[in-house]
Amino acid sequence: LQSHTMQRQYVAFVEGRPARSTGTWRNWLKLRAGELSQNVVSESEARRAETEAVEAVTHYEVVAEFPFAGSKRIVTKLRLRLETGRKHQIRAQAAHAGLPLVGDRTYNPKYRGNAAKPPRIAFPRQALHAELLSLEHPDKPGVRMTWTAKPPNDLQLLGASLRCGLGSRPE
C-alpha cells in the first residue's frame, strides 16, 4: 500500500457526458463535519495550514453512452482507475465534474429526499462497482495478484435497460 502499487478499477454510470472521452480528475478533497461526505476545495484552500484536505486523482475513460430518446439527457458508463484512495473519491469528483452518479443520494441532487421531482432513472443505490483489484504479493516481490468481479445483477440490469429502453451507442 505504501509503495502505491495497488491498482483499483471501477465502473460507474453517471448523468451527463464528459468533455473528453478520457481524462484525469485531480482535486483536493476535504471531509465535511461528521465525515459523511467530501467537499472539493481549491488548491489554495487545501494548502492552508489549518485545512485537512487531501489530493485525489482519478483517471477515467468513456465505455458507452446512452442518450435518452427525444431529450438532450445522456447517461455515460465510465471506467475509472484510482491513483489515490480517498473516502467517496469517485462520487465527489464525478459530481464536481458535473457527472453525478446515477442513484447517488449524497452527491446527486436528483436523488435527495428534498428533490423537486423524482429522478428519471429509478435506481436504489449509487451506480458504482469495483471491477478489478491488483496488488503485489506481500511476501513475493514481483508477483502480482489480481481479482476481478462481474457487475452485480442490478448494474447489469441498469446497463441493459439503458441500452434497450433509452437508445444507446454500443459498448
Side-chain angles (χ1 to χ4, degrees), residues 23-151:
T24 300
W25 295 325
R26 189 175 300 274
N27 304 102
W28 290 90
L29 301 178
K30 180 181 176 185
L31 280 171
R32 290 184 180 143
E35 299 191 0
L36 297 177
S37 63
Q38 296 273 15
N39 273 338
V40 174
V41 298
S42 68
E43 185 173 355
S44 61
E45 183 179 339
R47 300 238 183 247
R48 281 192 233 140
E50 72 278 0
T51 303
E52 293 183 16
V54 292
E55 189 174 28
V57 181
T58 303
H59 306 281
Y60 70 85
E61 68 174 303
V62 172
V63 175
E65 294 179 342
F66 306 98
F68 281 65
S71 167
K72 293 186 181 201
R73 287 191 64 202
I74 190 163
V75 170
T76 302
K77 182 178 180 182
L78 297 177
R79 178 160 290 116
L80 304 144
R81 186 176 53 79
L82 295 182
E83 194 171 306
T84 57
R86 311 295 183 213
K87 182 178 188 172
H88 296 195
Q89 175 174 326
I90 291 170
R91 297 165 62 198
Q93 288 185 302
H96 182 72
L99 303 166
L101 272 65
V102 169
D104 192 335
R105 280 140 184 84
T106 301
Y107 297 97
N108 188 337
K110 292 180 184 174
Y111 289 88
R112 292 190 190 129
N114 61 356
K117 56 184 176 179
R120 184 128 180 218
I121 301 170
F123 199 69
R125 64 179 184 88
Q126 65 263 14
L128 178 66
H129 169 67
E131 72 174 359
L132 180 135
L133 172 66
S134 180
L135 54 90
E136 187 172 309
H137 191 288
D139 296 328
K140 299 176 184 173
V143 175
R144 280 208 84 68
M145 300 169 34
T146 302
W147 297 268
T148 58
K150 290 186 344 185

